[in-house]
């Protein structure tokens, strides 16, 4: 696939320590060639039991891909107009199977959302292990960018976490039924019994939130405790905190659950019940945790993995400015009350490709240094 070459105004510097400092350079995903992958253990556990996606797989309909790309391109153009440099991935052929000596699956996923794959911490971009077989090769979509950053920024650290084997030993067979029921799922979430086992370290980058010296990591379907321990050893100068949200029957990716907006302020998903003891570090340091407004929709759009809580999956441009999806009127209204300037972005028809405004981006450069917000 031919991509328009991006012409950087200045050489790349990779630097981003948190979710809110002024954004200057970002990657925005593409809907190109995105697939609904065939059944596999960890993915099945995430697809809601009443979902229109159960039992079907293959390339997503072309008109949905075109519409998704239109919205992602518009979002990228808007960011460029605001002075943010935007890079885009080079889509690989996602119709090809993913095969290693340990597993085989008939197709891949896509080059959306980059937030799931790439974790930027300071001058490092770390490719996550991933936990779905169909996403094992997803880092390849971003390798041309990683090579460019490596050539341009002498301080850039390109890292890749150990590729997991993803044999059946990585998944609890209890989760394989499509008729578990939400009640059982909630009980399991409460017991911290998730679809992934502790066979080997697993994490998706979107389970991590960056607060300067502190990294907050959700333990759930896509990140296990060994994955969090791996992150702890990999970032010895950080404090790594494990969080759980027992009110989420499908716990993957923290960014529709817990959303820092600026130093001292976090939006919290009111259904997912952040445990009291996990609020302590914020309370002790004068941070406010505010329940997010209700989503504007009763159901996700067609062929979408995510919940309606993509309403709170916002992209912060600086501590006073936030991008909110255009139809999410209650979330926008709440942002306004919280003193944030809202930039409306139409993205709902791209949700099916894996998420909202935060998901579909990955940080390359935000101003600012590594600060200690929880001394
Ligand atoms: N688990 C979230 C929800 O459905 C969706 C998170 C999507 N985030 C992402 N980075 N892909 O509520």
């Amino acid at each position: 696939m031919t991509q328009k070459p991006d012409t950087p105004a200045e050489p790349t510097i990779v630097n981003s320590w948190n979710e809110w400092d002024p954004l200057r350079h970002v990657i925005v995903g593409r809907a190109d060639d995105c697939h609904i992958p065939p059944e596999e253990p960890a993915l099945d556990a995430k697809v809601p039991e009443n979902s229109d996606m159960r039992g079907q797989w293959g390339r997503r309909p072309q008109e949905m891909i075109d519409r998704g790309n239109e919205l992602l391109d518009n979002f990228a153009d808007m960011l460029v107009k605001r002075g943010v440099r935007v890079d885009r991935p080079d889509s690989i052929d996602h119709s090809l199977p993913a095969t290693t000596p340990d597993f085989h699956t008939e197709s891949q996923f896509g080059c959306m959302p980059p937030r799931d794959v790439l974790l930027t911490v300071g001058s490092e971009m770390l490719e996550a292990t991933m936990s779905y077989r169909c996403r094992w090769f997803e880092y390849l979509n971003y390798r041309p960018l990683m090579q460019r950053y490596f050539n341009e920024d002498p301080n850039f650290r390109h890292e890749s976490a150990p590729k997991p084997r993803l044999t059946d030993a990585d998944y609890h067979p209890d989760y394989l039924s499509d008729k578990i029921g939400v009640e059982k799922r909630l009980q399991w979430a409460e017991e911290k019994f998730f679809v992934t086992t502790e066979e080997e370290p697993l994490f998706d980058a979107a389970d991590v939130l960056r607060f300067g010296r502190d990294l907050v990591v959700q333990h759930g379907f896509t990140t296990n405790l060994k994955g969090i321990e791996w992150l702890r050893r990999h970032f010895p100068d950080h404090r790594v905190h494990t969080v759980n949200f027992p009110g989420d029957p499908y716990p993957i990716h923290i960014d529709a659950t817990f959303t820092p907006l600026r130093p001292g302020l976090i939006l919290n998903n009111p259904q997912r019940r952040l445990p009291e003891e996990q609020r302590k570090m914020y309370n002790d340091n004068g941070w406010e945790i505010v329940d997010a407004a209700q989503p504007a929709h009763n159901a996700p759009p067609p062929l979408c993995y995510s919940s309606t809580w993509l309403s709170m999956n916002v992209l912060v441009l600086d501590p006073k400015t936030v991008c909110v999806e255009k139809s999410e009127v209650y979330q926008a209204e709440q942002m306004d009350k919280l003193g944030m300037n809202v930039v409306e972005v139409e993205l709902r028809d791209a949700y099916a490709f894996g998420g909202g405004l935060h998901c579909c981006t990955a940080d390359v450069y935000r101003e600012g240094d590594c600060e200690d917000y929880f001394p």
Side-chain angles (χ1 to χ4, degrees):
M1 197 158 307
T2 10
Q3 311 279 353
K4 224 173 47 201
D6 310 88
T7 38
E10 54 211 58
T12 304
I13 302 175
V14 177
N15 180 69
S16 177
W17 293 101
N18 58 50
E19 311 290 333
W20 55 78
D21 269 342
L23 183 69
R24 297 287 175 241
H25 185 178
V26 75
I27 298 171
V28 173
R30 289 186 192 274
D32 294 17
D33 200 43
C34 282
H35 278 62
I36 297 174
E39 291 186 0
E40 61 163 291
L43 184 69
D44 285 4
K46 160 68 185 164
V47 179
E49 283 156 37
N50 55 1
S51 168
D52 56 352
M53 302 175 79
R54 285 242 168 219
Q56 62 166 311
W57 64 277
R59 196 174 195 269
R60 286 176 180 269
Q62 188 60 43
E63 59 291 357
M64 289 179 78
I65 291 179
D66 292 344
R67 172 70 177 148
N69 270 333
E70 182 188 338
L71 296 178
L72 289 163
D73 291 352
N74 290 345
F75 180 35
D77 287 349
M78 183 279 289
L79 291 169
V80 168
K81 284 199 189 93
R82 299 185 71 99
V84 180
R85 179 175 151 198
V86 178
D87 288 335
R88 312 297 299 276
D90 275 291
S91 179
I92 58 170
D93 183 350
H94 300 114
S95 71
L96 294 175
T99 306
T100 74
D102 291 308
F103 68 80
H104 169 81
T105 183
E106 280 300 321
S107 99
Q108 302 176 57
F109 190 86
C111 45
M112 261 287 279
R115 190 70 65 178
D116 300 359
V117 185
L118 300 171
L119 176 64
T120 309
V121 176
S123 60
E124 167 170 340
M125 292 178 89
L126 170 65
E127 296 164 358
T129 66
M130 308 309 285
S131 44
Y132 296 172
R133 291 168 178 164
C134 60
R135 305 191 76 178
W136 205 87
F137 286 110
E138 206 162 304
Y139 66 96
L140 293 175
N141 295 284
Y142 304 99
R143 278 290 170 93
L145 291 175
M146 296 304 112
Q147 277 173 301
R148 201 165 98 199
Y149 302 163
F150 191 82
N151 292 338
E152 289 176 18
D153 177 358
N155 295 315
F156 172 47
R157 290 165 50 93
H158 179 195
E159 294 273 358
S160 182
K163 294 305 283 174
R165 300 190 66 165
L166 302 185
T167 65
D168 288 345
D170 274 314
Y171 309 105
H172 284 124
D174 313 59
Y175 265 98
L176 295 186
S177 155
D178 58 358
K179 293 189 185 62
I180 300 166
V182 169
E183 216 168 296
K184 183 101 205 156
R185 285 171 179 275
L186 288 172
Q187 184 199 322
W188 282 348
E190 187 86 48
E191 293 162 5
K192 302 179 194 174
F193 173 71
F194 302 116
V195 62
T196 39
T197 65
E198 292 296 337
E199 174 73 8
E200 58 181 340
L202 296 177
F203 68 96
D204 280 12
D207 282 313
V208 184
L209 289 174
R210 302 155 308 142
F211 294 76
R213 262 207 68 179
D214 294 82
L215 299 173
V216 172
V217 191
Q218 167 169 246
H219 174 210
F221 284 2
T222 37
T223 294
N224 62 11
L225 293 173
K226 275 204 180 128
I228 299 175
E229 178 56 23
W230 188 89
L231 286 164
R232 188 172 283 124
R233 295 184 199 183
H234 183 72
F235 292 113
D237 299 332
H238 280 73
R239 290 175 294 239
V240 176
H241 310 269
T242 305
V243 285
N244 291 99
F245 297 92
D248 186 357
Y250 306 95
I252 81 160
H253 304 155
I254 194 169
D255 53 0
T257 303
F258 206 54
T259 304
L261 295 179
R262 60 184 184 231
L265 183 62
I266 306 174
L267 274 189
N268 173 51
N269 187 313
Q271 280 182 357
R272 296 189 176 167
R273 298 192 288 115
L274 175 67
E276 217 31 62
E277 73 274 9
Q278 293 180 14
R279 294 173 184 253
K280 193 175 174 329
M281 120 182 174
Y282 309 99
N283 294 342
D284 289 352
N285 289 278
W287 283 56
E288 211 185 337
I289 300 177
V290 180
D291 279 352
Q294 285 298 307
H297 303 272
N298 295 323
L303 303 180
C304 180
Y305 290 103
S306 307
S307 73
T308 53
W309 289 101
L310 288 181
S311 54
M312 56 184 289
N313 188 264
V314 297
L315 182 71
V316 177
L317 297 185
D318 65 57
K320 288 197 167 83
T321 316
V322 63
C323 297
V324 179
E325 208 286 324
K326 194 168 174 211
S327 66
E328 295 297 345
V329 288
Y330 306 123
Q331 191 53 78
E333 188 182 73
Q334 180 185 34
M335 290 295 182
D336 186 60
K337 289 199 182 115
L338 291 168
M340 303 289 288
N341 297 318
V342 173
V343 180
E344 287 182 355
V345 180
E346 196 179 359
L347 201 77
R348 189 169 156 83
D349 293 343
Y351 279 5
F353 298 96
L357 292 159
H358 188 260
C359 311
C360 80
T361 56
D363 288 19
V364 182
Y365 188 91
R366 286 184 190 263
E367 290 177 7
D369 294 323
C370 182
E371 289 190 34
D372 189 349
Y373 300 95
F374 307 100

